[in-house]
Amino acid sequence: MFIVDCDCHNYWCSATVLEPYLDGLWKDMFVRGERTGPVGAFPHGHRPWFHPEGFGRADVQPQTEDDNYLIMKEKHLDKYNIGIAILTGDEPIESSTLANPHYAAALCRAYNDYQIDYWLPKDERFMGSIVVAPQDPHQAAAEIRRLGAHPRMVQVLVSHGAQRPYGDPFYHPIFEACAEVGLPFAMHLGGQGGVNATPIGAGPTTFFWETHALLPQSAMTHMASLIAQGVFEKWPDLYCVIIECGVAWVPSVLWRLDSNYRALRKETPWLKMLPSEYFRRNIRFSTQPLEQPKNVQHLWAVLEAMDGENTLMFASDYPHWDYDDANALHIPAKWREKVMGLNALEVYKRIPRPLAVAAE
Amino acid sequence: MFIVDCDCHNYWCSATVLEPYLDGLWKDMFVRGERTGPVGAFPHGHRPWFHPEGFGRADVQPQTEDDNYLIMKEKHLDKYNIGIAILTGDEPIESSTLANPHYAAALCRAYNDYQIDYWLPKDERFMGSIVVAPQDPHQAAAEIRRLGAHPRMVQVLVSHGAQRPYGDPFYHPIFEACAEVGLPFAMHLGGQGGVNATPIGAGPTTFFWETHALLPQSAMTHMASLIAQGVFEKWPDLYCVIIECGVAWVPSVLWRLDSNYRALRKETPWLKMLPSEYFRRNIRFSTQPLEQPKNVQHLWAVLEAMDGENTLMFASDYPHWDYDDANALHIPAKWREKVMGLNALEVYKRIPRPLAVAAE
């Protein structure tokens, strides 16, 4: 089976790997300036919720920069026969939390150049993400256009923590650039600090485990906002990919959105379909961490209600604490080929279709 | 069948009905002071999302204060053979949005006295709610103790819009008073303005219909917080009732809470059960507005996953725009007696058990 891993984190040991890709004021700030952690930390406004054990898997302990790839190759890419791994970085999406959008944009440019120089040549299976800082949509759009023609950059990536719901017209320059270069807009769990809005309604909550359980709320908001604000009417071919935000909540939100839209659609006369129809056409979810009920049939009923066979795409979240094993993903057997890889080929059109798959 | 309606709104034509129950500074502010609407409006910090048609049913148009009861009797209580209607007021829970907690508490006291004087004597089927302003938990606790022995006051009621997640120790004086007088703690959708926290993660959203679809987020937060902060270990017999916040999202949140708690329980060593076990023992949901999927089996799988037969309680939300008809509630037929009434008798122990039901 052809597997596309839609969320594979390429770590660094130290953010100093970005130094060669920065210059002028930004290099000076990066080398000499204050940051949240010690020298080597990536600048960002840290969440107030601290993971009580750290995010990494205990068995992934790189000692050198090269280890980051070598361990990934051994414990993930080769072990599970991953066909394509879409690199999602790790800290770079946290640039969304910085008050200074110019610095945030410079850090994203540096990361993207480093990713293209250092990571993509390491393995043919790697595809990259153009990370942008959404707090200045115009600089973000410029970065999308700068790198949008690169054949191995397959999506635009931001954190799901944001200053506003992503449907807001403030962000439309980003979607315009995505549409122009033909790339999906992806958001990944993260960015819960600094200048971003509180990620949780009636929050903030207190403990890491309860907070992490509630973080899908921001994704609910973005999904509703992208639909209601008409983003998928303005750019009908745009895919939005929502990564690491859970999936079992999706039908419950779509049912409410559809009911309310039916009753009060006059508020948004630009829409031509039900919210659930925009979802089905334009939005995709990565699976990890797939919810784990006692009775898997309850989950499968929910996944069926969101047409999961066609809207879900496998992700491992390597090498995080709540990693999902590609062999053990608890989805209906007859969905496996689509969810493990074929659905991603529809969304990420730059991924070369393997001969074995093309023949099917 | 014995029907308990857990969310029946007793409206007024004008908040001036509260004048006889206020005195001193509070009466002066109420009569002469600034407020969100015209004279007759209840003081509150209004939401920034405006319902494009208003909240009321088009066929409920009271012209006098007496009409509020007479129309309810005709179009709801008698028509659907409601056995018990728990009054939830309407604007009074919006007192939670006021910056001045002393004024908010005075308004709640006035409403509670008016409710007992005016509404409870009108119909034997009415039971009341002690509305409190949670922004001063000590005054709220005093109000709970002042009225807690009244035989027809069956719950303590707040808005689900709040300054903090309700599990926060700040609010524990309220739960202590609830436990002392033996009443459930109920939260009802509302309070999305003024001093309360943004109700939606990564918000604010823009349109009423999308916002209303997302308002369950605050209830998710409160549910997680009440469990994680150990409220149900401190007060194991306390029921929390969540009103008008939807239900189909509940399993998805419980699945994440259970998974995360299993992995990271060391953060909250005072807990002795899984989050889903506290939910099952201590939390109940009212049904309205029950989600309306294309395929009702998808909803029923979700309701089964939350043991809806035992955790759901019927509510009509009379006379609001999205009212649920007691005869048309789309739940499994064999659950009807429990969900329509018997579950409420377990939670609201002051409701007299009718002879017909007692014999079953």
Side-chain angles (χ1 to χ4, degrees):
Chain A
M1 185 166 27
F2 179 64
I3 300 176
V4 177
D5 178 358
C6 293
D7 186 19
C8 182
H9 292 288
N10 48 316
Y11 264 63
W12 51 49
C13 295
S14 161
T16 53
V17 297
L18 300 185
E19 277 182 29
Y21 303 95
L22 289 161
D23 56 21
L25 168 63
W26 310 128
K27 182 159 189 169
D28 181 69
M29 280 182 67
F30 187 76
V31 173
R32 298 177 57 235
E34 176 192 3
R35 64 189 77 186
T36 314
V39 172
F42 186 79
H44 65 286
H46 201 281
R47 279 165 285 109
W49 303 280
F50 280 41
H51 194 303
E53 300 184 345
F55 281 90
R57 269 167 49 166
D59 66 330
V60 177
Q61 300 285 353
Q63 302 301 312
T64 68
E65 290 297 344
D66 282 346
D67 282 351
N68 287 293
Y69 168 64
L70 294 172
I71 299 173
M72 183 204 286
K73 182 175 187 312
E74 177 201 339
K75 298 203 180 224
H76 181 55
L77 302 176
D78 293 350
K79 180 171 177 184
Y80 294 101
N81 192 25
I82 302 296
I84 291 288
I86 300 177
L87 301 178
T88 47
D90 186 58
E91 291 178 303
I93 60 169
E94 299 294 321
S95 54
S96 69
T97 61
L98 294 172
N100 183 334
H102 310 290
Y103 190 25
L107 289 166
C108 288
R109 287 193 299 271
Y111 167 71
N112 291 330
D113 288 339
Y114 152 80
Q115 182 189 191
I116 290 170
D117 265 15
Y118 180 85
W119 280 94
L120 293 187
K122 280 201 183 296
D123 201 305
E124 294 190 326
R125 293 170 287 191
F126 287 153
M127 294 284 154
S129 302
I130 303 174
V131 175
V132 298
Q135 61 270 54
D136 181 347
H138 299 286
Q139 287 199 65
E143 180 68 352
I144 294 165
R145 292 188 174 98
R146 182 175 77 92
L147 297 177
H150 192 294
R152 292 176 68 190
M153 298 300 258
V154 298
Q155 68 183 354
V156 170
L157 183 66
V158 297
S159 70
H160 94 316
Q163 293 183 309
R164 311 175 180 210
Y166 277 127
D168 196 294
F170 172 76
Y171 294 117
H172 288 200
I174 293 177
F175 306 128
E176 184 151 291
C178 287
E180 191 181 306
V181 301
L183 290 181
F185 172 77
M187 66 184 81
H188 183 292
L189 192 92
Q192 269 74 57
V195 294
N196 283 336
T198 306
I200 288 170
T205 40
T206 307
F207 310 105
F208 182 88
W209 71 256
E210 65 163 335
T211 305
H212 185 268
L214 297 170
L215 285 179
Q217 289 184 18
S218 294
M220 298 174 196
T221 303
H222 294 311
M223 181 173 83
S225 175
L226 288 163
I227 292 169
Q229 292 273 15
V231 168
F232 303 121
E233 278 299 325
K234 286 175 83 171
W235 297 285
D237 297 325
L238 180 71
Y239 276 114
C240 170
V241 181
I242 300 181
I243 303 172
E244 202 176 327
C245 293
V247 296
W249 54 266
V250 175
S252 70
V253 174
L254 291 175
W255 294 337
R256 279 181 80 97
L257 287 170
D258 277 1
S259 292
N260 285 7
Y261 173 72
R262 280 196 183 95
L264 303 172
R265 66 178 72 194
K266 69 182 181 186
E267 277 191 296
T268 52
W270 45 85
L271 297 184
K272 295 177 181 152
M273 305 195 291
L274 288 173
S276 61
E277 293 170 325
Y278 289 107
F279 157 76
R280 177 62 189 81
R281 189 182 73 184
N282 296 97
I283 299 181
R284 296 294 178 267
F285 279 84
S286 74
T287 51
Q288 187 279 339
L290 194 60
E291 288 83 352
Q292 302 171 53
K294 280 183 203 158
N295 178 348
V296 77
Q297 297 298 332
H298 291 150
L299 175 66
W300 289 4
V302 171
L303 299 186
E304 186 181 275
M306 64 185 285
D307 191 14
E309 182 175 5
N310 295 300
T311 60
L312 295 175
M313 307 192 298
F314 169 71
S316 72
D317 196 30
Y318 174 89
H320 282 165
W321 63 294
D322 50 353
Y323 175 84
D324 274 356
D325 176 334
N327 294 339
L329 194 74
H330 47 290
I331 54 168
K334 69 187 178 68
W335 294 10
R336 284 188 69 83
E337 281 200 284
K338 282 188 162 183
V339 173
M340 297 307 294
L342 300 188
N343 289 344
L345 295 182
E346 295 298 315
V347 172
Y348 298 110
K349 298 205 169 61
R350 292 187 188 175
I351 297 179
R353 204 172 180 83
L355 290 178
V357 171
E360 279 165 13
Chain B
M1 186 165 31
F2 179 64
I3 299 176
V4 178
D5 179 359
C6 293
D7 185 20
C8 181
H9 292 287
N10 49 315
Y11 263 63
W12 51 49
C13 295
S14 161
T16 53
V17 297
L18 300 184
E19 279 183 27
Y21 303 96
L22 288 160
D23 56 20
L25 168 63
W26 310 129
K27 182 159 190 167
D28 181 69
M29 280 182 67
F30 186 76
V31 173
R32 299 178 55 235
E34 176 191 4
R35 65 189 74 186
T36 315
V39 172
F42 186 79
H44 64 287
H46 200 282
R47 280 164 285 110
W49 302 280
F50 280 40
H51 193 303
E53 299 184 346
F55 281 91
R57 270 168 46 167
D59 66 329
V60 177
Q61 300 284 355
Q63 302 300 313
T64 69
E65 291 296 345
D66 283 347
D67 282 351
N68 286 292
Y69 168 66
L70 295 172
I71 299 173
M72 182 203 288
K73 182 176 186 307
E74 177 200 339
K75 298 203 179 224
H76 181 54
L77 302 176
D78 293 350
K79 180 170 178 185
Y80 294 100
N81 192 26
I82 303 294
I84 291 289
I86 301 177
L87 301 178
T88 46
D90 187 58
E91 292 179 301
I93 61 169
E94 299 293 321
S95 54
S96 69
T97 61
L98 294 172
N100 182 335
H102 311 291
Y103 190 26
L107 290 166
C108 288
R109 286 193 301 271
Y111 167 71
N112 291 329
D113 288 341
Y114 152 80
Q115 181 188 192
I116 290 170
D117 265 15
Y118 181 84
W119 280 95
L120 294 187
K122 280 202 182 295
D123 202 304
E124 296 189 321
R125 293 170 286 190
F126 287 154
M127 295 284 155
S129 302
I130 303 174
V131 176
V132 297
Q135 61 270 57
D136 180 347
H138 299 286
Q139 287 199 68
E143 180 67 354
I144 294 166
R145 292 189 174 96
R146 181 174 79 91
L147 297 176
H150 192 294
R152 291 176 69 189
M153 298 301 258
V154 298
Q155 69 183 354
V156 170
L157 183 66
V158 297
S159 70
H160 94 315
Q163 294 183 308
R164 309 173 181 213
Y166 277 127
D168 195 295
F170 172 76
Y171 293 117
H172 288 200
I174 294 177
F175 306 129
E176 184 151 289
C178 286
E180 191 180 306
V181 302
L183 289 180
F185 172 77
M187 66 185 80
H188 183 292
L189 192 92
Q192 269 74 57
V195 295
N196 283 335
T198 306
I200 288 170
T205 41
T206 308
F207 310 105
F208 182 88
W209 71 257
E210 61 162 342
T211 305
H212 185 268
L214 297 171
L215 285 178
Q217 290 185 17
S218 294
M220 298 174 197
T221 303
H222 294 311
M223 181 173 85
S225 174
L226 289 163
I227 292 170
Q229 291 273 13
V231 167
F232 303 122
E233 278 299 323
K234 287 176 82 170
W235 297 285
D237 297 326
L238 181 71
Y239 275 114
C240 171
V241 181
I242 300 180
I243 303 172
E244 202 176 325
C245 293
V247 296
W249 53 268
V250 175
S252 71
V253 174
L254 291 175
W255 294 337
R256 278 181 80 96
L257 287 170
D258 278 1
S259 292
N260 284 7
Y261 173 72
R262 280 195 182 96
L264 303 172
R265 66 177 73 195
K266 69 183 182 185
E267 278 192 296
T268 53
W270 45 84
L271 297 185
K272 295 174 182 152
M273 302 195 294
L274 288 172
S276 61
E277 293 171 322
Y278 289 108
F279 157 77
R280 178 62 190 83
R281 189 182 74 183
N282 295 98
I283 299 180
R284 296 294 177 269
F285 279 83
S286 75
T287 51
Q288 187 278 339
L290 193 60
E291 288 84 352
Q292 301 171 54
K294 279 183 203 157
N295 178 349
V296 77
Q297 297 299 331
H298 290 150
L299 176 66
W300 289 5
V302 171
L303 300 185
E304 187 182 272
M306 65 185 284
D307 191 13
E309 182 175 6
N310 295 299
T311 60
L312 294 175
M313 307 192 299
F314 170 70
S316 72
D317 197 31
Y318 174 90
H320 282 166
W321 64 294
D322 50 353
Y323 175 84
D324 274 356
D325 176 332
N327 293 340
L329 194 72
H330 46 290
I331 54 169
K334 69 187 177 71
W335 294 9
R336 283 190 71 81
E337 282 200 283
K338 283 187 160 183
V339 173
M340 297 306 294
L342 300 188
N343 290 344
L345 294 182
E346 296 297 314
V347 172
Y348 299 110
K349 298 206 170 58
R350 292 186 188 175
I351 297 179
R353 205 174 179 84
L355 290 177
V357 172
E360 278 165 12

